[in-house]
């Protein structure tokens, strides 16, 4: 199926106007030696009509194991997405626009992003937020880059409770920056924070951490501050419905994965990189920022702010290379936060935390199962298993569950263990069925 | 550790929430609303069938950390798009992790760095042309390299003489868009490739303009070693108001071992898809598998078109640009005379000197006439630049209407310049004062949503 509207007659008229005989002459400036006579066919899918396309893609989708009740998390959550939020995020006016360079015809996206920034500030307890980054991991990298730029130092101290995949992305980008990354080991599931040296640029703490445990964020931010380093707190937006915000705990930079705010799992993307910091660092903030202003008639208007930081103006001296961000996800997050409201967010945090603790207690009654951590946790926990985690996950799939995320590779000290997450989408009944299924699998 | 008080979030019913965003949508131009000739952004129509595919529950509900055995469909999608990208660009393997074009650039540059490191070489600089996108030098800096700018010649192409002078044993590589940002094909590309390779450097293809040559010629055959493409441009995934995008990076054989891992791969022995770590991988560039739902839409688009259809895309993209240029050539200066590909750059320099009307004003006036503005003031080497990329999905009628509007504006500039410099007149707001853009923090939001403004 083609999306080209031209008739043969149209093409004839146009070729006449530009003085060419054939469409092939459009490419006369390309040297013959690299011109293809035919388009590459091997490797490119053959054309299908729309019904054939849908059927073929449904068949592909069918090769996933669908219909599993999801207890897996680890940075990607089966969050409840209200229908109103899906409907707002699907609006073609938002979905098919691009970056709001022309403010006069982009007030919709600009105002929505301004509202997003406002809500992120309130959610994190910070003073400024940008209009989104790609995902939690890339937001973390940008947070560390800001700290390195502000402090002029290059040592990065990272708690071992950081999402291991965030850590890997940080290490990849560090190779261009000559950042020196050191780890703080875990004790009981939380980082055992040492005193911070004077040559440290950033101290990175995830709270709740990858294992679900609550870190002592106040201690980390105080120690970072004493040492002249910046604290970078990786937040979980839902947890802020019940926990003190990172800002209230003294964070200099707050980053996080915002997928839970109105986003589907989508096999890992597109997600939403949350980025917020203090007013003092506004000029080092990466990516787009929207601000409020007035127009030529004195009416309230929104426009991209502080563009002099950005790559299209400042080129190699820009605060980051970001151009396209995750606007549509940011709009969904804005709608999701407004839909929840303060009580809704609190309820989501409380109910899932209660259910997670109930589930953990019940699972730990099963012989051979125990918590791998001792610190208080939010709504995700590391469970030691009497069998290899991969086997447990495969077998629980036969019982209708995606049981968790295998921790064996990332946290070998735990032995056989997996990470179990409970979102506001899970019910007590599902938790009970999960326990029953686990019992069955382990007794086999 | 527990919060003392509730967060200050909006308290608003669903009905008012939906009304609020519906009003915002009414204040927003989009591709679905009309032509969007924003140069270098390839704002083509985004097929609705691709949205239907992305909504399929078994894709949308797939967890990124599920065992490979449970996500064979997702892994196959990634491998199918990888194969198609490699076939269309003439490359060996590709990663779909980079979530945007600039992220693809950084990935490519880190591959370049890893390659030179493995040869035991420390190279310090990356060359880019003076017509390059702003992301190029910004990515070069983040990858730890120094940017060296190569001037363009009078034709608007890489100045070969200057290029040779700047190329040396410190050159890690050369980043080039082809066709370049003036919409001109770098016809000396084989010579450029030979020179870069003789100097021990790598040639990097910025795929922003891949739409122009889809199925016509391939960066791999031109001599490029690393290619990033933009699925949100060439493969018609929606731009989302500024993202999400997707910026796959494809490489030739000698760079495959440096690609980010894990790399979804078909195991021919079992017929199953698995995830493989390339031997000298630069590591992850995304926490998961990149913007999968965008990759999925790209697959739907590729499958809708097929090989012949994709070639037709390039043909009609170039014909539309060439035709629009011909239609308005009498009204605007064309600083470069070479045959344009999918986009061209006009100048309002003379118009400004004669009438005071600038490129910015032409763009604003175009908003009044129902079109989006072109990209203005880019590339930097053209005075009062206006970069038009109509894309292949606009009909002859639309291109004619756009040309008529531009010709009218040029006439207005002569007869009534104020109507142009004071424009737009019909939009919800007019010329927001960018000098007065506030501190992005405010406390007004809740009231706004409740009052429904």
């Amino acid at each position: 199926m083609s999306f080209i509207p031209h008739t043969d007659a149209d093409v004839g008229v146009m070729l006449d106007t530009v003085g060419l005989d054939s469409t092939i002459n459009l490419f006369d400036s390309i040297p013959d030696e690299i011109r293809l006579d035919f388009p590459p066919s091997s490797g490119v899918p053959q054309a299908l009509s729309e019904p054939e396309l849908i059927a073929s893609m449904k068949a592909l989708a069918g090769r996933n194991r669908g219909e599993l009740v999801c207890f897996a998390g680890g940075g990607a959550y089966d969050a409840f997405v209200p229908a109103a939020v899906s409907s707002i995020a699907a609006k073609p006016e938002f979905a098919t626009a691009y970056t709001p360079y022309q403010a006069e015809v982009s007030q919709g996206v600009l105002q929505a992003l301004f509202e997003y920034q406002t809500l992120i500030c309130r959610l994190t307890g910070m003073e400024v937020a940008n209009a989104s980054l790609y995902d939690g991991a890339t937001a973390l990298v940008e947070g560390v880059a800001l700290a390195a730029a502000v402090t002029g130092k290059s040592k990065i101290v990272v708690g071992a409770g950081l999402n291991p995949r965030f850590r890997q992305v940080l290490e990849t980008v560090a190779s261009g920056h000559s950042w020196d990354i050191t780890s703080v080991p875990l004790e009981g599931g939380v980082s055992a924070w040492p005193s911070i040296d004077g040559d440290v640029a950033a101290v990175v703490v995830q709270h709740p951490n990858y294992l679900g445990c609550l870190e002592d964020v106040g201690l980390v931010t105080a120690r970072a501050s004493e040492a002249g380093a910046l604290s970078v707190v990786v937040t979980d937006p839902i947890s802020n419905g019940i926990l003190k915000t990172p800002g209230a705990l003294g964070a200099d930079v707050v980053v996080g994965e915002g997928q839970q705010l109105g986003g589907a799992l989508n096999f890992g993307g597109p997600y939403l990189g949350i980025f917020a910091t203090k007013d003092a660092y506004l000029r080092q903030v990466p990516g787009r920022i929207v601000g409020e202003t007035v127009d030529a008639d004195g009416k309230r208007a929104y426009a991209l702010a502080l563009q002099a930081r950005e790559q299209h103006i400042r080129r190699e001296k820009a605060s980051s290379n970001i151009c396209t961000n995750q606007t549509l996800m940011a709009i969904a997050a804005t709608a999701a936060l407004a839909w929840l409201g303060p009580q809704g967010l609190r309820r989501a945090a409380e109910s899932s935390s209660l259910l997670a603790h109930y589930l953990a207690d019940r699972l730990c009654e099963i012989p051979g199962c125990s918590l791998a951590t001792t610190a208080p946790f939010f709504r995700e926990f590391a469970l030691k298993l009497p069998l290899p985690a991969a086997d447990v996950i495969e077998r629980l799939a036969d019982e209708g569950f995606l049981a968790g995320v295998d921790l064996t590779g990332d946290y070998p000290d735990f032995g056989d263990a997996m990470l179990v997450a409970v979102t506001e989408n899970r019910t007590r009944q599902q938790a009970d069925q999960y326990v029953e299924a686990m019992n069955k699998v382990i007794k086999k | 550790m527990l919060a003392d008080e509730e967060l200050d979030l909006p308290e608003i019913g669903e009905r008012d929430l939906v009304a609020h965003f519906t009003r915002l949508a009414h204040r927003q131009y989009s591709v679905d609303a009309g032509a969007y000739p924003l140069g270098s952004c390839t704002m083509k129509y985004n097929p609705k069938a691709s949205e239907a595919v992305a909504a399929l529950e078994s894709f949308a509900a797939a967890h990124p950390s599920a065992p490979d055995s449970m996500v064979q469909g997702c892994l196959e999608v990634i491998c199918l798009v990888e194969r198609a990208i490699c076939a269309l660009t003439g490359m060996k393997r590709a990663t779909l992790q980079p979530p945007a074009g600039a992220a693809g650039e950084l990935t490519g540059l880190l591959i370049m760095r890893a390659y030179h490191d493995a040869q035991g070489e420390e190279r310090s600089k990356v060359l880019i042309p003076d017509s390059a996108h702003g992301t190029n030098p910004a990515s070069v800096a983040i990858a730890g390299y120094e940017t060296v700018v190569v001037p363009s010649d009078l034709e608007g192409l890489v100045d070969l003489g200057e290029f040779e002078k700047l190329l040396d044993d410190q050159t890690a590589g050369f980043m080039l868009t082809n066709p370049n940002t003036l919409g001109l094909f770098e016809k000396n590309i084989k010579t450029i490739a030979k020179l870069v390779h003789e100097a021990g450097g790598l040639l990097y293809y910025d795929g922003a303009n891949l739409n122009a040559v889809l199925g016509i010629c391939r960066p791999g055959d031109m001599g490029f070693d690393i290619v990033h493409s933009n699925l949100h441009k060439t493969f018609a995934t929606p731009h989302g108001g500024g993202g999400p995008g997707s910026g796959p990076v494809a490489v030739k054989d000698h760079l495959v071992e440096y690609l980010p891992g894990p790399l979804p791969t078909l195991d021919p022995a079992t017929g199953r898809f698995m995830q493989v770590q390339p031997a000298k991988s630069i590591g992850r560039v995304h926490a998961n598998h990149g913007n999968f739902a965008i990759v999925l839409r790209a697959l739907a688009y590729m499958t809708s078109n097929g090989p012949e259809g994709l070639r037709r895309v390039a043909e009609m993209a170039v014909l539309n640009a060439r035709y629009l240029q011909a239609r308005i050539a009498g009204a605007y200066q064309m600083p470069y005379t070479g045959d344009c590909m999918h986009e061209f750059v006009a100048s309002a320099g003379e118009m400004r000197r004669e009438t005071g009307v600038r490129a910015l004003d032409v763009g604003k006036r175009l908003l009044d006439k129902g079109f989006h503005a072109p990209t203005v003031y880019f590339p930097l080497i053209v005075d009062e630049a206006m970069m038009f990329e109509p894309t292949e999905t606009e009909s002859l009628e639309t291109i004619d209407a756009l040309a008529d509007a531009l010709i009218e504006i040029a006439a207005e500039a002569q007869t009534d310049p104020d109507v142009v410099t004071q424009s737009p007149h019909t939009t919800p707001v007019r010329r927001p004062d960018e000098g007065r853009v506030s501190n992005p923090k405010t406390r007004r939001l809740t009231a706004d949503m409740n009052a429904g403004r």
Side-chain angles (χ1 to χ4, degrees):
Chain A
M1 189 170 69
S2 167
F3 306 100
I4 293 167
H6 303 67
T7 63
D8 289 345
D10 292 342
V11 172
V13 167
M14 296 172 86
L15 285 172
D16 280 351
T17 305
V18 301
L20 295 177
D21 296 332
S22 152
T23 52
I24 204 67
N25 300 117
L26 292 164
F27 301 96
D28 285 348
S29 61
I30 301 176
D32 282 343
E33 58 175 325
I34 53 172
R35 283 261 292 270
L36 302 172
D37 294 329
F38 304 99
S41 56
S42 169
V44 180
Q46 289 304 307
L48 297 181
S49 67
E50 184 166 333
E52 289 169 336
L53 169 75
I54 300 293
S56 140
M57 294 294 151
K58 273 187 182 161
L60 257 180
R63 280 167 229 164
N64 284 342
R65 186 142 184 178
E67 310 277 312
L68 297 180
V69 177
C70 182
F71 282 88
Y77 299 90
D78 177 29
F80 175 65
V81 181
V85 172
S86 308
S87 156
I88 288 165
K91 283 186 183 297
E93 292 87 349
F94 302 138
T96 74
Y98 193 38
T99 304
Y101 296 116
Q102 292 292 336
E104 287 88 345
V105 290
S106 307
Q107 287 297 300
V109 163
L110 285 163
Q111 185 175 337
L113 288 176
F114 186 76
E115 292 167 355
Y116 165 79
Q117 292 168 181
T118 308
L119 293 189
I120 292 301
C121 287
R122 293 179 188 173
L123 185 70
T124 57
M126 302 305 282
E127 291 166 341
V128 292
N130 75 5
S132 80
L133 294 168
Y134 308 129
D135 71 342
T138 47
L140 169 65
V141 171
E142 297 284 2
V144 167
L146 182 146
V150 165
T151 60
K153 301 170 187 172
S154 61
K155 199 165 153 190
I156 317 296
V157 176
V158 175
L162 177 66
N163 183 325
R165 291 181 306 284
F166 285 23
R167 166 77 187 244
Q168 289 163 22
V169 174
L170 183 64
E171 282 171 355
T172 302
V173 179
S175 70
H177 284 282
S178 61
W179 291 338
D180 170 21
I181 304 173
T182 54
S183 268
V184 176
L186 293 178
E187 268 177 28
V190 289
S191 316
W193 294 100
S195 62
I196 306 298
D197 296 337
D199 56 351
V200 172
V203 184
V204 177
V205 57
Q206 180 170 336
H207 167 71
N209 69 21
Y210 185 70
L211 303 172
C213 294
L214 305 182
E215 293 268 358
D216 191 346
V217 175
L219 174 81
V220 178
T221 59
R223 289 208 177 147
S225 170
E226 280 161 26
L230 264 52
S231 52
V232 179
V233 178
V234 182
T235 192
D236 168 342
I238 303 294
S239 74
N240 292 332
I242 189 171
L243 300 175
K244 278 199 167 73
T245 63
L249 296 168
D252 294 305
V253 183
V254 180
V255 299
E257 177 50 70
Q259 171 263 327
Q260 304 182 63
L261 301 173
L265 280 166
N266 275 329
F267 200 48
Y271 285 2
L272 171 66
I274 291 172
F275 189 101
T277 185
K278 296 177 171 172
D279 256 336
Y281 308 128
L282 181 59
R283 286 186 188 277
Q284 280 84 36
V285 171
R288 313 285 185 196
I289 301 176
V290 176
E292 188 179 292
T293 183
V294 290
D295 82 344
D297 301 319
K299 278 195 283 189
R300 179 159 56 97
Y302 298 91
L304 292 175
L306 300 163
Q307 293 190 67
R309 299 164 299 112
E310 291 193 50
Q311 44 76 24
H312 63 283
I313 309 281
R314 239 169 114 68
R315 301 178 76 83
E316 69 271 18
K317 296 190 183 67
S319 58
S320 83
N321 67 337
I322 194 162
C323 178
T324 298
N325 57 19
Q326 304 280 122
T327 300
L328 197 61
M329 282 42 242
I331 292 174
T334 309
L337 281 168
W339 189 88
L340 281 167
Q343 294 93 4
L345 188 67
R346 190 180 183 93
R347 263 197 310 276
E350 270 174 358
S351 66
S352 50
S353 182
L354 278 172
L355 189 57
H357 284 81
Y358 168 79
L359 178 64
D361 288 347
R362 296 271 332 260
L363 287 170
C364 288
E365 290 165 6
I366 300 172
C369 289
S370 63
L371 288 184
T373 62
T374 54
F377 64 91
F378 172 46
R379 60 174 190 173
E380 192 160 17
F381 54 88
L383 184 71
K384 286 193 178 186
L385 298 163
L387 302 169
D391 295 350
V392 171
I393 292 168
E394 284 289 344
R395 289 191 218 164
L396 272 168
D398 295 337
E399 307 294 326
F401 296 96
L402 181 56
V405 174
D406 191 341
L407 285 174
T408 322
D410 292 318
Y411 293 89
D413 292 353
F414 292 158
D416 297 322
M418 70 177 174
L419 192 58
V420 181
V422 176
T423 68
E424 66 284 354
N425 246 355
R426 296 288 70 83
T427 63
R428 168 84 179 255
Q429 192 189 12
Q430 288 170 333
D432 287 335
Q433 288 163 346
Y434 180 89
V435 173
E436 209 175 294
M438 181 73 87
N439 252 315
K440 185 173 156 193
V441 160
I442 284 176
K443 279 184 189 145
K444 248 185 199 169
Chain B
M1 201 157 283
L2 292 177
D4 307 320
E5 50 188 48
E6 263 173 11
L7 291 170
D8 181 12
L9 296 178
E11 297 186 62
I12 178 174
E14 181 172 310
R15 193 263 168 282
D16 289 318
L17 179 72
V18 169
H20 175 73
F21 280 100
T22 301
R23 273 187 292 267
L24 291 188
H26 288 162
R27 292 158 72 86
Q28 181 65 43
Y29 192 83
S30 62
V31 169
D32 268 19
Y36 210 129
L38 190 66
S40 247
C41 297
T42 315
M43 299 300 291
K44 61 171 79 175
Y45 171 70
N46 312 130
K48 299 301 172 191
S50 301
E51 298 304 306
V53 169
L56 291 172
E57 180 64 17
S58 288
F59 287 132
H63 193 284
S65 300
D68 292 352
S69 62
M70 300 183 199
V71 288
Q72 286 290 301
C74 289
L75 295 172
E76 186 168 352
V77 166
I78 291 175
C79 289
L80 284 169
V81 173
E82 184 200 348
R83 246 184 102 208
I85 297 258
C86 288
L88 290 164
T89 59
M91 294 282 147
K92 180 75 177 177
R93 294 288 317 258
T95 173
L96 281 94
Q97 281 189 32
E105 291 174 16
L106 179 58
T107 302
L109 287 159
L110 292 174
I111 290 170
M112 192 181 280
R113 174 175 281 284
Y115 168 80
H116 289 302
D117 283 351
Q119 319 299 310
E121 286 194 25
E122 271 206 37
R123 291 176 174 240
S124 61
K125 61 190 194 186
V126 170
L127 274 48
I128 62 167
D130 55 7
S131 60
H133 297 106
T135 48
N136 289 179
S139 300
V140 167
I142 293 172
Y145 287 114
E146 181 198 337
T147 300
V148 176
V149 176
V150 181
S152 300
D153 64 14
L154 293 174
E155 278 185 79
L157 305 176
V158 171
D159 186 321
L160 271 185
E162 291 298 318
F163 175 64
E164 268 201 88
K165 277 188 230 161
L166 294 168
L167 198 59
D168 61 20
D169 62 0
Q170 283 303 301
T171 305
F174 182 37
M175 291 180 92
L176 192 62
T177 309
N178 196 19
N180 66 25
T181 61
L182 296 166
L184 303 172
F185 194 86
E186 297 280 356
K187 61 188 177 194
N188 301 317
I189 186 60
K190 291 289 275 188
T191 310
I192 290 171
K194 184 163 162 280
L195 291 170
V196 171
H197 292 144
E198 279 171 4
L202 297 175
L203 192 57
Y204 180 100
Y205 185 87
D206 177 329
N209 295 344
L210 185 65
N211 206 48
V213 294
L214 216 47
I216 302 287
C217 61
R218 310 190 300 173
D221 301 330
M222 300 176 205
F224 285 92
D225 303 288
I226 306 171
V227 175
H228 99 253
S229 45
N230 299 71
L231 302 187
H232 49 291
K233 296 180 180 181
T234 315
F235 299 103
T237 72
H239 281 67
S246 176
V249 172
V251 296
K252 289 243 175 87
D253 227 348
H254 56 291
L255 299 175
V256 168
E257 58 186 350
Y258 303 101
L259 279 172
L263 200 54
T265 301
L266 175 66
D267 177 5
T270 60
R272 308 286 286 173
F273 294 88
M274 54 185 190
Q275 302 191 59
V276 175
Q277 197 67 24
K280 297 176 186 165
S281 174
I282 61 164
R284 276 185 179 279
V285 296
H286 188 269
N288 298 300
H289 310 273
N291 284 341
F292 173 79
I294 304 300
V295 172
L296 181 57
R297 287 173 172 89
L299 178 62
Y301 177 78
M302 291 166 171
T303 311
S304 295
N305 281 283
E308 297 291 339
L310 291 173
R311 183 169 159 116
R312 187 78 177 155
V313 162
E315 289 171 353
M316 292 300 110
V318 175
L319 182 60
N320 270 358
R322 196 75 65 82
Y323 177 79
L324 177 63
Q325 186 185 34
R327 286 267 346 251
I328 67 168
Y332 296 89
Q333 263 175 285
M334 297 297 160
Y336 295 99
T337 53
D339 288 341
C340 80
M341 303 292 285
H342 68 305
E343 70 186 2
F344 63 92
V345 178
S347 168
E350 237 165 58
M351 180 181 282
R352 182 184 188 173
R353 285 184 288 278
E354 286 172 16
T355 68
V357 170
R358 300 169 299 162
L360 174 82
D361 303 322
V362 174
K364 297 294 183 200
R365 187 66 178 138
L366 203 50
L367 305 178
D368 277 337
K369 301 193 185 275
F371 297 98
H372 196 277
T375 296
V376 289
Y377 301 104
F378 182 81
L380 307 177
I381 54 174
V382 174
D383 180 33
E384 294 291 329
M386 296 182 293
M387 183 193 233
F388 291 94
E389 181 181 7
T391 83
E392 73 283 359
T393 53
E394 299 307 333
S395 65
L396 173 58
E397 290 78 2
T398 301
I399 302 288
D400 273 335
L402 175 60
D404 291 345
L406 284 161
I407 293 165
E408 269 170 38
I409 295 169
E412 288 171 347
Q414 298 294 335
T415 56
D416 187 4
D418 286 356
V419 79
V420 186
T421 56
Q422 300 295 308
S423 67
H425 303 276
T426 59
T427 50
V429 298
R430 302 173 44 225
R431 306 241 178 178
D433 184 346
E434 293 192 5
R436 284 181 58 189
V437 175
S438 66
N439 181 319
K441 190 188 179 190
T442 179
R443 304 194 65 79
R444 198 185 293 174
L445 169 74
T446 309
D448 273 350
M449 279 192 173
N450 286 341
R453 280 191 293 138

